[in-house]
Amino acid sequence: MPASPRRATLATVAASAGVSVATVSKVLNGRSDVAPATRSLVESLLRQHDYVAPVPRRSEAVATDTVEVQFDSYINAYSTELIQGLVDAGAELGVGVVVSLKKDAARPGTWARELAATGRRALIAVTSELTSGQLTALSRVHLPLVVIDPLNLPRARVTSVGSTNFAGGLAATQHLLSLGHRRIAYIGGPATAACNQARLHGYRAAMEAEGASAPPCHTFFGQFRYQDGLKYGAAVLDLPEPPTAIFVGCDESALGVMEAARARGLRIPEDLSIVGFDDTQIARMASPPLTTVRQPLREMGAVALRTALRLAAGEPIDSHHVELATELIVRGSTAPVSRARRP
């Protein structure tokens, strides 16, 4: 992150407004004995200066350090695995973990100031699409950031934790190819997401190496959700020549594809093989149990927390991007291509 400008103080804001420090303090504390025009001016200047209340001294603060973990949207099976890893690591290190959903994305200064005012040691953002404005706002309030599975990286030196997505996509597709499948579709997440692109490239590399065709009509992008698997699974299975196997970019979407297949009278894996990605609890609970690429989600959460604490303490880190190894887990949702559906 770029060098941070000096933090604004009450005196800075008071001088800009032409009032006393006491008046600015009254506005901050919601006191009623301030004229409306003066209050409006002071509030405007507080925002303009990106003023952040100083974090209480250790003796005045809560006994346990806390780290904020923010998600862009709803909590799903992928999220719960990460949270478990974060909470376990926090308990081991004596650090509290607070989970929230990101808000005020259009007002990065307000968002960052509110985070800093809570006294958090650091922020861990999960599958977030970050803007330069948000990164600058976090830098101004001196709040370290670690991103897990980033959707984008607007700056090269943003610290992030992920997995070997390309290798996972390659392994998933090679597994299906080894079973005799040649018409293999890919249903992934957001087209521009870094993790999705890596999985897609792994799929394409395996197909190309085998001389198998990967036409555009066999590739779909969604939001890593069940509904997207249901929608795009239906679309690809309704093609004149549907695939005999589908590699899906996350377990939740894979369950949607399974349901789309069942709705069309297809048996899994006899008529259609499916591979997911993540290895969450729902992969093991699916019927049949889902063959999937295991992301070490709990370990990723633990690494992110330890890295965030090192940044907060001003300690050096070995790398700005860490990738943990993926592993193919073979279960009951894949089988050799049947003679009836063989290309």
Side-chain angles (χ1 to χ4, degrees), residues 133-177:
Q134 289 167 338
L135 298 180
T136 299
L138 290 172
S139 176
R140 283 177 176 169
V141 300
H142 311 286
L143 192 66
L145 169 70
V146 175
V147 185
I148 297 177
D149 262 352
L151 295 186
N152 69 326
L153 285 173
R155 295 180 189 168
R157 292 182 69 79
V158 174
T159 304
S160 61
V161 176
S163 68
T164 53
N165 289 293
F166 176 87
L170 187 73
T173 311
Q174 287 175 336
H175 169 65
L176 293 170
L177 289 164

Side-chain angles (χ1 to χ4, degrees), residues 290-301:
L290 182 66
T291 294
T292 190
V293 176
R294 180 181 182 269
Q295 280 200 96
L297 296 173
R298 297 191 183 192
E299 293 90 333
M300 286 162 60

Side-chain angles (χ1 to χ4, degrees), residues 11-134:
T12 307
V13 177
S16 297
V19 298
S20 67
V21 171
T23 299
V24 176
S25 180
K26 287 179 183 180
V27 172
L28 279 171
N29 292 313
R31 292 270 296 274
S32 59
D33 53 339
V34 180
T38 302
R39 180 184 303 280
S40 177
L41 173 62
V42 170
E43 288 175 342
S44 173
L45 288 168
L46 285 167
R47 289 192 296 271
Q48 221 176 87
H49 285 283
D50 281 325
Y51 175 78
V52 179
V55 176
R57 290 191 299 271
R58 186 69 185 172
S59 61
E60 300 170 354
V62 291
T64 304
D65 285 328
T66 57
V67 171
E68 184 100 3
V69 180
Q70 286 197 347
F71 293 83
D72 272 350
S73 56
Y74 75 114
I75 305 299
N76 56 14
Y78 163 93
S79 310
T80 56
E81 292 287 333
L82 281 175
I83 291 169
Q84 189 66 60
L86 286 157
V87 169
D88 288 346
E92 179 185 332
L93 298 168
V95 175
V97 174
V98 177
V99 178
S100 64
L101 298 181
K102 190 166 72 175
K103 59 181 182 178
D104 289 333
R107 302 172 62 193
T110 301
W111 167 68
R113 286 195 300 272
E114 288 179 354
L115 277 173
T118 63
R120 306 288 189 241
R121 293 291 307 280
L123 170 67
I124 297 174
V126 183
T127 61
S128 286
E129 189 163 359
L130 298 163
T131 66
S132 292
Q134 289 167 338

